[in-house]
Amino acid sequence: MPYKNRRSTYNNFILIFVVLKIGLNLLAISHFGFHRDELLHLALGDHLGWGYKEVPPFIAFLAKISNTLFGTSVAACRIFPTICAGAIVWLVGLITVELGGKMFAITLACLSFIFAPAFVASDYLFQPVVFDQLWWVLCVWLIARYINYRSPKYIYLLGVVIGIGLLTKYTMGFFALALIISLLLTKQRKVLWSRHVIGAIAIALLLFLPNIIWQFQHHLPVVTHMATLKKSQLNYIKPGDFISQQIAVNGVALFLWIVGLGFLLFSFKLRKFQFIGFAFILIFIFLLEMSGKNYYLFGAYPMLFAAGGYGFERWIKIKYTPLRALAVMVFTVPNLLFFPMLLPVLPLDATLSFFRFTNKNVPAFRFASTWEDHKLHPLTQDYADMLSWEEMVAKTAKIYNSLTPEERAHTVIVTDNYGEGGAFARFGTKYNLPAAVCMDSSFALWAPANIQPQSIIYVSDDCDVSDLNPIVASSTLVAKVADPLAREYGTGIFLMKGVKPVISSLYREHLKQKLEK
């Protein structure tokens, strides 16, 4: 007989935590500005396709829908991530119920997820990360439902989710493989012997097929992207760093997920769900070996929170209500201290005051505002990545409009990095600017095949265009990004006149190299 938690009608109770998560995100939804990565992903929505150089196509289609339904403001672009974050909380509660947990277990699991630093920081920006987490958690819930109820529809839905997950972020492939291996290692391997699994695999591959075809048509940019990422970033991530980051990213919720992992692996009551624990271990080892970034593993924690909530509910009986209340406080209150560092719930001035206080009085918190350059800054790197994009475009527009109509007709705006390219894609029409040329990241895919400018307005992130001086008559630094809080602080905006015809052949060669990478 299929398992059924007879007291599993907790939907209204779980909804309380969904509303809490969405409410917290709404407090921050319009603060600061577009993040550098958001600008890239929103720009993808203007150039729909079945693939891009750094991500699969799901985020682009979502960007197109978001722009159409909600508009182009900062708050508008964060509506889908906020809804998604609420959906993850909902699934955390549902997984807890499937494991046999009740109200106390649901409370611990959901609140730990809501206040864990990893998810506070990653679940409000318009990035593939939050949607990737959703598909991982949904996969586990569907398998748990199938184990408890044996309804084939959950297997077919699992195929759909894995297919969409692969179109969201390629890490879904690693997670799906970890789930298969972990099921083979447990008595639940019989799940895989169902004929319905073949149908689910077919569905997943069919959904993913357009991106596979696109990859081969474009010289497998995902391989080149991963090789570049490994060379420029991942090779510098030491195994010890990855482990220490995983210990730290969830704050005090560390103790909940460790308990959850223990229960999944060793509890007789959760023996049917042992595969979840094995899947976590497998994906952890894989990412450790591959020098993965810490957030690649985030999607595996919510189910451990659910199991941890179940474990504590088993340990702390209902008659010990004060102890249960204390446990809830322990797993939430300490993480609240990190909130202004991770989610822009405060206005900019208040956020700056918070960092000034913590950097001076709480040295242990200085890590939050220490950037990749290993220097201490007034804000986190993520917050700094949200500032001064429109300032950059406005100053460029002032330069462009200072030219004569004839000069403007033969002027091209060029940017160095995808954040700048995204800024001009987002704000350029507001200032009546022509489309900027950018060959960084996926912008190379829709860059013009050739340019023949007489003048160039060059936005240089390192404020250095000396390599172009031999092919221009004059180069003048006209403006800079002036906000010292912005990561783009000091970015130079140059007006280059008298561009020689050789620029066309140099441009075509550079674009060819970018497209082949």
Side-chain angles (χ1 to χ4, degrees):
M1 178 180 293
Y3 167 87
K4 185 175 182 180
N5 181 357
R6 295 185 182 279
R7 298 183 61 191
S8 62
T9 54
Y10 296 109
N11 290 349
N12 291 339
F13 185 66
I14 297 171
L15 192 59
I16 295 172
F17 302 103
V18 174
V19 171
L20 175 61
K21 177 65 174 177
I22 290 176
L24 290 171
N25 273 28
L26 289 176
L27 290 176
I29 200 167
S30 61
H31 283 174
F32 301 178
F34 293 102
H35 188 278
R36 176 188 305 272
D37 292 347
E38 288 179 313
L39 290 169
L40 167 63
H41 300 136
L42 290 167
L44 299 183
D46 296 327
H47 303 272
L48 295 181
W50 281 110
Y52 301 93
K53 292 175 73 69
E54 61 286 291
V55 292
F58 177 83
I59 194 72
F61 287 101
L62 207 60
K64 184 67 173 180
I65 296 170
S66 177
N67 286 334
T68 303
L69 293 181
F70 308 130
T72 59
S73 68
V74 175
C77 89
R78 293 176 182 168
I79 290 175
F80 276 132
T82 296
I83 294 171
C84 184
I88 297 174
V89 175
W90 178 260
L91 288 167
V92 169
L94 293 182
I95 291 173
T96 307
V97 172
E98 292 302 321
L99 298 182
K102 299 174 184 174
M103 292 181 71
F104 177 56
I106 293 168
T107 300
L108 282 182
C110 290
L111 287 180
S112 293
F113 173 83
I114 290 169
F115 293 106
F119 300 100
V120 173
S122 65
D123 287 358
Y124 74 99
L125 295 176
F126 188 76
Q127 298 175 326
V129 176
V130 63
F131 305 105
D132 186 47
Q133 293 170 13
L134 175 65
W135 307 137
W136 284 35
V137 178
L138 187 52
C139 280
V140 170
W141 178 73
L142 288 169
I143 297 175
R145 288 288 288 185
Y146 179 76
I147 289 172
N148 282 340
Y149 295 94
R150 298 296 173 182
S151 174
K153 69 180 180 182
Y154 296 115
I155 295 297
Y156 290 107
L157 287 172
L158 180 64
V160 173
V161 171
I162 291 175
I164 297 175
L166 288 168
L167 293 175
T168 302
K169 201 168 174 63
Y170 297 119
T171 48
M172 171 55 79
F174 305 134
F175 185 61
L177 183 60
L179 286 173
I180 292 171
I181 296 173
S182 65
L183 285 167
L184 288 171
L185 293 174
T186 69
K187 292 183 178 180
Q188 295 305 320
R189 66 180 67 90
K190 57 189 175 182
V191 170
L192 299 173
W193 309 147
S194 167
R195 69 182 186 277
H196 304 296
V197 171
I198 303 299
I201 293 173
I203 291 171
L205 291 176
L206 186 63
L207 288 169
F208 188 44
L209 183 60
N211 183 247
I212 296 174
I213 294 171
W214 184 94
Q215 285 287 336
F216 279 100
Q217 289 176 335
H218 292 79
H219 313 290
L220 292 171
V222 65
V223 176
T224 305
H225 175 69
M226 288 307 299
T228 302
L229 190 65
K230 188 171 180 64
K231 182 179 179 180
S232 63
Q233 297 182 35
L234 302 186
N235 281 342
Y236 299 98
I237 301 176
K238 300 176 182 178
D241 294 336
F242 182 80
I243 293 171
S244 62
Q245 289 166 357
Q246 298 309 316
I247 291 173
V249 291
N250 289 305
V252 290
L254 162 73
F255 303 105
L256 188 71
W257 75 253
I258 287 178
V259 168
L261 181 60
F263 263 78
L264 287 168
L265 294 176
F266 305 114
S267 171
F268 180 78
K269 293 283 188 180
L270 295 184
R271 64 193 182 280
K272 293 190 299 183
F273 306 103
Q274 192 179 45
F275 75 93
I276 301 175
F278 283 132
F280 175 84
I281 293 172
L282 288 172
I283 198 72
F284 185 99
I285 293 172
F286 173 79
L287 292 174
L288 183 68
E289 180 64 24
M290 295 296 293
S291 300
K293 293 185 178 181
N294 62 10
Y295 68 84
Y296 291 177
L297 190 62
F298 285 4
Y301 285 112
M303 22 282 201
L304 299 189
F305 293 157
Y310 172 85
F312 273 94
E313 190 170 64
R314 297 282 298 177
W315 284 345
I316 308 175
K317 303 301 181 183
I318 193 169
K319 63 181 178 180
Y320 301 114
T321 300
L323 194 56
R324 286 189 167 191
L326 178 62
V328 172
M329 296 287 286
V330 166
F331 285 119
T332 55
V333 174
N335 281 344
L336 281 172
L337 299 174
F338 298 101
F339 239 67
M341 298 180 177
L342 306 168
L343 187 69
V345 292
L346 302 175
L348 183 58
D349 288 343
T351 302
L352 286 168
S353 298
F354 176 86
F355 276 104
R356 280 194 295 267
F357 176 83
T358 55
N359 287 340
K360 180 180 179 180
N361 300 292
V362 192
F365 282 9
R366 290 178 182 171
F367 74 91
S369 51
T370 301
W371 294 4
E372 291 173 355
D373 60 7
H374 304 293
K375 296 179 181 178
L376 191 67
H377 292 266
L379 292 169
T380 68
Q381 185 167 298
D382 269 344
Y383 287 175
D385 266 333
M386 300 179 194
L387 303 175
S388 288
W389 298 114
E390 188 168 1
E391 174 199 343
M392 176 191 300
V393 177
K395 287 183 175 179
T396 301
K398 186 176 181 180
I399 298 168
Y400 181 78
N401 290 323
S402 71
L403 303 175
T404 66
E406 183 179 355
E407 286 176 319
R408 290 199 295 268
H410 297 91
T411 296
V412 171
I413 300 170
V414 179
T415 68
D416 263 346
N417 64 59
Y418 69 79
E420 296 162 358
F424 280 88
R426 179 78 358 187
F427 298 111
T429 53
K430 176 179 177 180
Y431 292 90
N432 297 313
L433 291 174
V437 175
C438 179
M439 286 186 281
D440 186 36
S441 191
S442 286
F443 282 91
L445 296 174
W446 55 82
N450 190 27
I451 59 171
Q452 295 177 311
Q454 295 176 7
S455 300
I456 294 175
I457 299 176
Y458 200 112
V459 181
S460 173
D461 52 17
D462 60 0
C463 202
D464 182 8
V465 294
S466 57
D467 56 328
L468 294 177
N469 286 340
I471 62 170
V472 299
S474 67
S475 176
T476 306
L477 175 61
V478 182
K480 284 186 175 183
V481 173
D483 187 349
L485 299 175
R487 195 174 172 201
E488 289 282 326
Y489 174 59
T491 290
I493 307 173
F494 292 81
L495 176 59
M496 314 178 84
K497 291 190 173 184
V499 180
K500 298 177 181 179
V502 70
I503 186 69
S504 296
S505 59
L506 293 175
Y507 172 84
R508 290 194 301 269
E509 181 61 29
H510 188 48
L511 179 60
K512 180 181 177 182
Q513 293 174 2
K514 286 289 187 178
L515 291 175
E516 290 178 350
K517 286 183 178 179

